[in-house]
Amino acid sequence: MHHFNYKNGRLHCEGVDLHEIADTVGTPVYVYSSATLRRHAKVIAGAFDGMDCLIAYSVKANGNLAVLKTLAAEGCGADVVSGGELQKALVAGIPASKIVFSGVGKTREEMALGLREGIHQFNVESGAELEVLSEVATSMGKVAPITLRVNPDVAAGGHPNISTGKAGDKFGVPWDDAPALYERIKTLPGVKAVGVDVHIGSQIGDLGPMRAAFEKTIGLVKSLRAAGHDLTRIDLGGGLGIPYKASDNPAPPSDYAQMIREVTEGLGLQVVLEPGRVIAGNAGVMITEALYHKPAPDRTFLIIDAGMNDLMRPALYQAHHDIVPLSEPSADKPMVEYDVVGPICESTDKFATKRHMPEVEPGARIAFMSSGAYGAVLSSQYNARPLVAEVLVDDAQYAIVRRRPSFDEMIALEQTPDWLS
Ligand code: LLP
């Protein structure tokens, strides 16, 4: 469900004509819908109504401050994986008491920041991190509330690059090590175990692997409780998938919530969730302009003004994004097949192969749908292309929420050493 629709033959985001945004801001540009963000936050929260549940939006999916502020106003907390994300969440008005800190490589400085701010919990990913966190907390006269992220050795399905819960993945502590690590926690002065954490991957449409991982983790909670650990929370991570194309049929949030109600029933646990994509994914599009047609012996390339530096997902994960023209094609518009590519000097700078779509003339604009999550956040300045701009729409109004840097700004951090000046 999203708020991108044709009105009078022109693609709109809520009440705003996307051509107007492209005219004033230029292309490529990301456009986000406030109504979609709010709706998704409400649907997720509503599905867990009546449960003790913290919805900690996963900032990595889309960390734009305006997006975070929109979600903060909906009552979302935040799942962060760096000091930078933690600071952004705070700046956006998300209270520290609703922030959880995940990630395998927290530095001492990042730990100290979380402790100073008094975040809800640290999701600890190794025995070594545990020792360091205890040391840092002790030196500050604090005790860090922690969960251990466990690796349940369950395959999430989907693309291997975004699977995190198999034994060979770098995430979580090995399953069999967990009981001993919880015993170790008892002896460390700077950490207190409050729960267990699990996250098996992203873009998961089938609830089966999630249920298997969650049930296994609940079993661990029970045995740890029996061993005298006072655990009050379970963090079940994020990972719920979204439809990227019409034939995708991921489990809806209501089924996901029902499954979680079932597996956590009667345990008196606070459930922490870290949804990212399901909130932001379909709330954004990337608009780009067609530059050239380039015929080759067996195909036609459609060259556009966005590159893999602006939207990495197709290059990194062979991800599919629907491509939709901003001007609604007439019924007699010829259907053609394009390899849609960007200007970057890499063969992986390809958004679609032999995509069947209405003809796109040079100068026409197209939108990459479902680009709100893991879109702009993954963008770079590769090939000295200034960072892509971002715009937030709210009903009939819109605002630039990250502008494209000028050339001077783009190179401002670079310095010429004395011997070259
Ligand atoms: N919690 C943890 C510990 C995570 O590692 C992630 C995602 C999430 C929550 C949020 O997962 P979500 O609800 O968004 O599935 N760049 C890739 C996805 C990487 C996911 C990384 N971790 C993509 O574009 O598909």
Side-chain angles (χ1 to χ4, degrees):
M1 166 68 197
H2 59 68
H3 295 75
F4 296 90
N5 295 297
Y6 287 114
K7 286 179 198 162
N8 305 320
R10 292 159 78 95
L11 192 62
H12 281 61
C13 173
E14 305 184 30
V16 178
D17 184 343
L18 291 177
H19 274 302
E20 186 189 328
I21 293 178
D23 285 342
T24 50
V25 184
T27 55
V29 58
Y30 280 87
V31 179
Y32 310 128
S33 157
S34 301
T36 311
L37 289 167
R38 291 190 189 114
R39 190 191 129 80
H40 289 167
K42 283 195 170 75
V43 166
I44 301 280
F48 291 91
D49 200 28
M51 277 176 74
D52 181 7
C53 183
L54 170 63
I55 311 286
Y57 166 68
S58 201
V59 172
K60 68 173 79 68
N62 185 327
N64 186 285
L65 282 176
V67 168
L68 296 182
K69 280 188 183 159
T70 304
L71 295 173
E74 292 300 315
C76 288
D79 159 48
V80 302
V81 291
S82 68
E85 283 191 354
L86 175 49
Q87 283 174 286
K88 286 187 91 172
L90 292 169
V91 168
I94 297 174
S97 60
K98 289 187 184 178
I99 297 178
V100 302
F101 197 160
S102 307
V104 298
K106 302 176 198 77
T107 64
R108 286 169 189 265
E109 291 72 27
E110 289 175 321
M111 290 172 178
L113 175 64
L115 287 161
R116 231 175 6 253
E117 296 293 340
I119 63 169
H120 190 56
Q121 77 195 28
F122 290 84
N123 295 335
V124 173
E125 301 231 14
S126 65
E129 181 190 342
L130 201 55
E131 304 288 328
V132 172
L133 180 56
S134 178
E135 221 177 276
V136 174
T138 309
S139 75
M140 296 170 71
K142 300 204 183 262
V143 177
I146 63 160
T147 70
L148 265 196
R149 177 169 173 187
V150 291
N151 185 322
D153 194 18
V154 171
H159 198 280
N161 287 13
I162 51 176
S163 161
T164 57
K166 282 294 288 171
D169 295 327
K170 71 174 177 183
F171 299 99
V173 300
W175 186 261
D176 294 336
D177 296 356
L181 285 167
Y182 275 91
E183 287 309 310
R184 176 71 184 145
I185 293 168
K186 275 190 174 163
T187 69
L188 292 171
V191 286
K192 171 167 178 14
V194 294
V196 182
D197 170 36
V198 67
H199 169 85
I200 60 167
S202 195
Q203 186 53 15
I204 302 170
D206 171 8
L207 294 179
M210 281 205 196
R211 180 187 272 269
F214 297 172
E215 282 175 345
K216 200 170 167 183
T217 308
I218 296 284
L220 177 65
V221 170
K222 286 181 180 161
S223 69
L224 290 169
R225 276 179 163 177
H229 297 276
D230 178 23
L231 304 182
T232 55
R233 302 176 196 167
I234 186 157
D235 185 329
L236 298 175
L240 191 59
I242 62 167
Y244 278 97
K245 47 176 166 324
S247 56
D248 287 347
N249 198 14
S254 52
D255 290 5
Y256 170 71
Q258 182 55 33
M259 181 269 285
I260 289 175
R261 276 179 202 275
E262 285 167 24
V263 299
T264 60
E265 181 146 28
L267 292 169
L269 291 166
Q270 180 194 44
V271 175
V272 178
L273 298 170
E274 303 168 355
R277 189 190 314 264
V278 74
I279 290 180
N282 287 325
V285 303
M286 183 187 69
I287 304 171
T288 164
E289 188 170 305
L291 297 174
Y292 307 110
H293 289 161
K294 176 167 164 172
D298 64 338
R299 65 193 68 212
T300 300
F301 292 103
L302 176 67
I303 303 172
I304 60 176
D305 73 356
M308 62 185 275
N309 68 305
D310 302 307
L311 175 62
M312 284 273 271
R313 302 195 66 258
L316 267 183
Y317 319 108
Q318 296 73 51
H320 171 100
H321 288 268
D322 277 349
I323 299 174
V324 166
L326 258 54
S327 299
E328 192 170 14
S330 56
D332 59 356
K333 187 97 174 166
M335 293 296 285
V336 290
E337 231 173 44
Y338 292 124
D339 277 19
V340 182
V341 300
I344 301 285
C345 297
E346 299 262 0
S347 294
T348 51
D349 185 27
K350 182 181 262 194
F351 296 101
T353 303
K354 302 219 164 158
R355 180 73 63 90
H356 196 63
M357 57 195 278
E359 185 173 35
V360 178
E361 287 89 15
R365 291 169 179 147
I366 54 179
F368 282 80
M369 305 304 289
S370 312
S371 302
Y374 308 109
V377 275
L378 275 155
S379 60
S380 76
Q381 303 197 139
Y382 187 38
N383 280 197
R385 291 165 51 83
L387 274 185
V388 62
E390 298 172 81
V391 165
L392 182 68
V393 170
D394 188 358
D395 199 5
Q397 56 184 341
Y398 70 93
I400 297 174
V401 293
R402 182 176 81 184
R403 68 180 171 79
R404 186 175 290 106
S406 66
F407 174 76
D408 286 342
E409 285 170 324
M410 183 172 69
I411 61 164
L413 298 178
E414 297 182 33
Q415 285 175 17
T416 306
D418 291 347
W419 67 87
L420 290 177
S421 357

